[in-house]
């Protein structure tokens, strides 16, 4: 009797579980309807339109995927230089994309060519746009060395086309990154049929340039309001449903524009943060050994030496660096590293992420403002020091203010050089105000570069110098140069040296650069090493590469499928 009851009970449980699994497997498919309201999405009759077919972010030109994770940021080897500026901390970075090589002379020359064509330097009001972007080729000069060949040829001669660009300041690298973002997204719109074919080459002038933020926030003002360019044709109507108004509520007259929710435009190209760069250079993804993960991996490659242990390449140098005094490449032949100055990109094997020259060749700018410590007590996720929050400038009628041809503003650098703050077609930016930060707990000011490091809320507060009758206080008593905003009658910046006694070179205008270069010893090849340099100056051994944030999932679809 009991046996029959048990059998019946088990049969009942099996039935219940089967019904439950069946109901789970037959759960409603919400791809074309809303979980919130049940209404149809992307209906032909109108209503809410959304890209439900979006798969994942595509890698932009030149970029490779770097899957994020946790790592030990900082130096775990002996600190023989006694800098004490890279104490090990545990950090986590989100997935992102990074240039597989440094930005080359050819890539930068494309930027200069575009500027020359769109903003001819022969016109007085555009002259400083081009001149402010040209790298400083005089960085190659040495008072006791003959380097005029590089001064005259390194940037422009095709023999150096695939060599990393140098002589570029941090500010110039940032401006290149902005330009690259707009050119990549401009091509995506053209290839999708949303803008006029070929307009980027034939129709764009100083007053009709494309800017990604302007297109997304005020599409009717893109390309200077030229609808012949910004309208791609009838085929685009079938791809994206007509938008009746733009972000400001302006009527679009039945025109079709891509919005952020369509997932077509890429995030911005930018300089990588210090944490991203160090994580990517360490390339721990290829090694799952616990000891290596904790920091025993000294270089971007596996091993403790700079020469290859591979049987076929045994003894070959794995990076381009200075081997000793007067030895920039080794004895010609077997032990030579293949370069005396910089080397052509991809001359050495990539690391496990597929990134080339993350050690040696040229050191690289990163986004961060330099401080001797990484404040992991406040943040250990996507660490970055350098945030300056801005917002779109708004006209009296409530529309965004787009920079016109006659409204170009320039920043005067400490070197006296003028650099364009924005181009025509960009949305003018202004600092966020106290009204914008009211009742916020995550930030209170526009400029956060010196947060917890010398501001009034910091326990470390120094009274270090006095200017005129106004006593000012700051953490670092660094040099100031009397050039910003000061010009003579011809418009040339007046240059002046700081005559006050200073105690440090550290300020909010110095940026971190990472990695060793062709001028550095092997010690600096360690990804944990960090140094700083003024953001408006350049050298013959610092270049840069771009990064791009990943939106959506942490892993690529292929990785997720492999785990499942």
């Amino acid at each position: 009797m009991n046996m029959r009851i048990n059998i019946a009970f088990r049969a009942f449980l099996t039935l219940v579980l089967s019904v439950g699994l069946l109901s789970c497997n037959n759960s409603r498919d919400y791809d074309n309807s809303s979980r919130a309201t049940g209404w149809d999405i992307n209906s032909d009759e109108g209503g809410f339109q959304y890209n439900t077919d979006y798969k994942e972010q595509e890698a932009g030109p030149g970029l490779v995927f770097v899957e994020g994770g946790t790592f030990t940021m900082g130096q775990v080897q002996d600190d023989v230089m006694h800098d004490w500026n890279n104490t090990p901390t545990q950090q986590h970075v989100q997935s992102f994309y990074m240039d597989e090589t440094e930005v080359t002379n050819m890539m930068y020359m494309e930027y200069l060519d575009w500027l020359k064509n769109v903003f001819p330097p022969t016109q007085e009001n555009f002259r400083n746009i081009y001149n402010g972007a040209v790298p400083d080729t005089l960085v190659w000069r040495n008072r006791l060395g003959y380097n005029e060949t590089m001064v005259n040829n390194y940037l422009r001669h095709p023999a150096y086309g695939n060599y990393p660009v140098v002589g570029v300041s941090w500010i110039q690298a940032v401006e290149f990154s902005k330009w690259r973002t707009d050119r990549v997204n401009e091509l995506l719109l053209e290839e999708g049929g949303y803008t006029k074919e070929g307009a980027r080459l034939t129709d764009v002038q100083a007053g009709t340039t494309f800017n990604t933020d302007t297109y997304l926030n005020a599409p009717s003002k893109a390309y200077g309001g030229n609808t012949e360019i910004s309208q791609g044709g009838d085929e685009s109507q079938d791809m994206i449903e007509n938008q009746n108004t733009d972000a400001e509520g302006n009527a679009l007259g039945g025109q079709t524009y891509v919005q952020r929710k369509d997932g077509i435009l890429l995030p911005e190209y930018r300089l990588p943060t210090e944490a991203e760069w160090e994580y990517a250079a360490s390339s721990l993804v290829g090694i799952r050994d616990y000891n290596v993960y904790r920091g025993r991996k000294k270089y971007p490659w596996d091993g403790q030496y700079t020469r290859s242990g591979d049987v076929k390449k045994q003894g070959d140098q794995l990076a381009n660096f200075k081997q000793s005094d007067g030895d920039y490449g080794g004895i010609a032949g077997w032990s030579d590293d293949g370069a005396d100055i910089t080397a052509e990109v991809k001359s050495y094997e990539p690391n496990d992420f597929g990134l080339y020259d993350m050690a040696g060749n040229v050191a690289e700018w990163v986004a961060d403002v330099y401080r001797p410590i990484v404040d992991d007590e406040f943040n250990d996720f996507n660490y970055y020091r350098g945030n300056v929050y801005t917002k779109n400038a708004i006209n009296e009628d409530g529309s965004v203010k787009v920079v016109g041809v006659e409204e170009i503003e320039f920043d005067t650098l400490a070197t006296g050089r003028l650099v364009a703050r924005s181009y025509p077609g960009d949305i003018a930016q202004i600092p966020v105000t106290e009204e914008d930060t009211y009742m916020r707990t995550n930030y209170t000011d526009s400029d956060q570069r010196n947060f917890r490091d010398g501001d009034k809320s910091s326990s470390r507060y120094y009274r270090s110098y006095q200017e005129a009758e106004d006593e000012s206080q700051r953490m670092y008593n660094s040099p100031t140069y009397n050039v910003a905003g000061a010009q003579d009658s011809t418009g040339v910046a007046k240059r002046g040296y700081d005559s006050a006694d200073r105690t440090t070179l550290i300020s909010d205008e110095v940026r971190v650069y990472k990695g060793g270069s062709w001028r550095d010893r092997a010690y600096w090849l360690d990804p944990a090493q960090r140094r700083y340099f003024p953001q408006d100056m350049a050298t013959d051994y610092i270049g840069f590469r771009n990064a791009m944030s990943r939106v959506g999932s942490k892993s690529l679809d292929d990785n997720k499928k492999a785990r499942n």
Side-chain angles (χ1 to χ4, degrees):
M1 184 70 173
N2 291 335
M3 183 178 296
R4 292 179 181 177
I5 294 175
N6 288 337
I7 293 174
F9 183 69
R10 290 177 182 175
F12 174 74
L13 286 179
T14 301
L15 178 62
V16 170
L17 290 174
S18 300
V19 172
L21 291 173
L22 183 62
S23 62
C24 289
N25 292 332
N26 292 335
S27 61
R28 183 172 179 180
D29 183 1
Y30 285 96
D31 285 347
N32 295 310
S33 60
S34 169
R35 289 182 186 273
T37 63
W39 290 19
D40 289 341
I41 297 176
N42 302 326
S43 172
D44 293 337
E45 286 75 25
F48 180 56
Q49 305 292 321
Y50 199 81
N51 183 4
T52 57
D53 294 327
Y54 184 80
K55 300 301 182 184
E56 67 175 9
Q57 179 180 345
E58 296 291 337
L63 302 178
V64 297
F65 177 69
V66 179
E67 183 173 347
T70 184
F71 77 113
T72 301
M73 180 178 178
Q75 186 175 10
V76 295
Q77 311 293 328
D78 291 337
D79 190 0
V80 298
M81 301 294 290
H82 300 290
D83 286 331
W84 309 117
N85 68 348
N86 52 4
T87 303
T89 66
Q90 194 77 4
Q91 295 287 336
H92 190 101
V93 296
Q94 284 184 290
S95 297
F96 60 100
Y97 296 85
M98 180 176 274
D99 270 332
E100 64 174 349
T101 72
E102 297 115 343
V103 171
T104 64
N105 287 317
M106 188 188 306
M107 294 167 67
Y108 203 89
M109 284 292 294
E110 184 181 7
Y111 168 48
L112 295 179
D113 183 72
W114 185 91
L115 289 178
K116 181 181 288 187
N117 291 331
V118 177
F119 304 104
T122 53
Q123 298 184 26
E124 182 61 27
N125 57 328
F126 297 147
R127 177 168 57 90
N128 288 319
I129 291 181
Y130 178 81
N131 292 343
V134 175
D136 182 6
T137 59
L138 298 182
V139 296
W140 287 104
R141 282 185 172 168
N142 186 301
R143 282 165 288 192
L144 291 179
Y146 181 75
N147 297 328
E148 293 304 296
T149 300
M150 279 81 79
V151 171
N152 297 322
N153 294 283
Y154 184 80
L155 173 64
R156 301 181 186 275
H157 198 284
Y160 295 111
N162 285 321
Y163 284 58
V165 66
V166 296
V168 175
S169 69
W170 182 91
I171 290 177
Q172 289 175 315
V174 169
E175 292 304 314
F176 171 88
S177 307
K178 295 177 182 177
W179 167 85
R180 188 178 179 185
T181 301
D182 292 336
R183 304 291 75 77
V184 169
N185 281 329
E186 186 177 22
L187 180 60
L188 288 175
L189 290 175
E190 180 183 323
E191 290 178 338
Y194 306 111
T195 58
K196 180 181 176 181
E197 184 177 358
R200 59 191 169 84
L201 300 174
T202 58
D203 295 1
V204 173
Q205 299 175 350
T208 58
T209 56
F210 173 84
N211 176 263
T212 301
D213 288 336
T214 302
Y215 184 87
L216 289 172
N217 287 277
S220 60
K221 297 182 180 180
Y223 290 107
N226 189 335
T227 57
E228 292 184 1
I229 300 177
S230 59
Q231 183 160 10
D234 294 337
E235 64 273 14
S236 65
Q237 306 291 331
D238 298 330
M239 302 179 190
I240 301 292
E241 289 293 324
N242 288 346
Q243 313 295 333
N244 296 322
T245 59
D246 63 16
E248 301 165 355
N250 300 322
L252 301 180
Q255 204 169 339
T256 299
Y257 293 103
V258 170
Q259 296 183 351
R260 197 181 300 275
K261 68 179 183 179
D262 298 315
I264 294 174
L265 298 180
L266 292 175
E268 65 176 354
Y269 282 83
R270 55 177 175 79
L271 292 181
T273 66
E274 181 181 3
E276 286 175 335
W277 194 99
E278 186 171 330
Y279 175 81
S282 300
S283 61
L284 300 176
V285 66
I287 301 176
R288 297 302 181 184
D289 181 82
Y290 178 77
N291 290 324
V292 175
Y293 162 73
R294 296 299 301 173
R296 286 182 55 188
K297 190 175 183 182
K298 186 176 182 179
Y299 299 116
W301 52 83
D302 189 18
Q304 300 292 308
Y305 304 100
T306 63
R307 292 187 182 274
S308 174
D310 184 85
V311 175
K312 295 182 179 179
K313 301 178 180 179
Q314 193 165 17
D316 288 354
Q317 290 288 6
L318 297 172
N320 175 24
F321 64 99
K322 181 179 179 180
Q323 299 181 31
S324 65
D325 288 345
D327 185 355
Y328 288 83
I331 301 173
W334 172 79
S335 64
D336 193 0
D337 67 9
D340 37 30
I341 55 169
T342 57
E344 187 173 4
V345 297
K346 294 189 176 183
S347 294
Y348 304 91
E349 293 296 320
N351 68 8
D352 291 329
F353 280 126
L355 303 171
Y356 293 85
D357 293 321
M358 295 300 285
N361 214 16
V362 291
E364 299 178 16
W365 289 114
V366 295
D368 294 59
V369 168
Y370 177 82
R371 287 295 186 268
I373 61 171
V374 171
D375 190 357
D376 65 313
E377 293 182 359
F378 187 83
N379 181 44
D380 57 4
F381 180 75
N382 286 346
Y383 186 87
Y384 166 63
R385 179 181 288 278
N387 284 310
V388 178
Y389 300 115
T390 61
K391 63 179 180 179
N392 296 337
I394 305 298
N395 295 316
E396 293 183 358
D397 62 358
S399 61
V400 294
K401 177 178 174 58
V402 178
V403 177
V405 176
E406 303 299 328
E407 300 172 314
I408 305 173
E409 295 184 358
F410 294 87
D411 286 329
T412 306
L413 307 182
T415 58
R417 197 170 193 175
L418 298 180
V419 174
R421 182 183 304 170
S422 58
Y423 296 138
D426 295 355
I427 298 178
Q429 297 294 304
I430 58 175
V432 298
T433 64
E434 292 182 357
E435 182 178 345
D436 300 311
T437 62
Y438 177 68
M439 294 293 287
R440 287 194 174 275
T441 59
N442 52 335
Y443 70 99
T444 56
D445 300 298
S446 172
D447 190 346
Q448 298 291 310
R449 288 176 296 178
N450 65 351
F451 177 66
R452 282 169 58 96
D453 193 20
D455 56 341
K456 292 183 179 180
S457 62
S458 173
S459 60
R460 296 168 294 185
Y461 190 47
Y462 288 73
R463 182 173 299 174
S464 55
Y465 76 104
Q466 184 174 353
E467 292 181 356
E469 297 179 357
D470 178 30
E471 185 177 17
S472 301
Q473 299 166 327
R474 58 180 178 172
M475 177 68 172
Y476 293 102
N477 185 24
S478 56
T480 58
Y481 299 96
N482 302 319
V483 293
Q487 296 181 348
D488 60 22
S489 59
T490 64
V492 177
K494 297 178 180 178
R495 294 172 171 84
Y497 290 97
D498 188 5
S499 59
D501 292 332
R502 302 302 180 189
T503 59
T504 182
L505 295 175
I506 299 173
S507 71
D508 289 344
E509 280 71 46
V510 297
R511 301 284 172 166
V512 179
Y513 69 94
K514 301 281 284 183
S517 74
W518 65 275
R519 279 194 177 275
D520 294 313
R521 298 291 189 92
Y523 172 80
W524 298 104
L525 302 183
D526 183 347
Q529 300 302 334
R530 55 200 304 263
R531 293 174 282 181
Y532 64 91
F533 203 73
Q535 65 183 21
D536 44 16
M537 295 177 64
T539 76
D540 61 355
Y541 59 86
I542 300 180
F544 70 101
R545 73 180 74 209
N546 282 147
M548 178 185 290
S549 299
R550 176 171 171 83
V551 294
S553 63
K554 178 178 181 289
S555 304
L556 296 177
D557 272 349
D558 291 342
N559 295 346
K560 290 186 290 186
K561 291 176 182 177
R563 287 199 300 268
N564 293 332

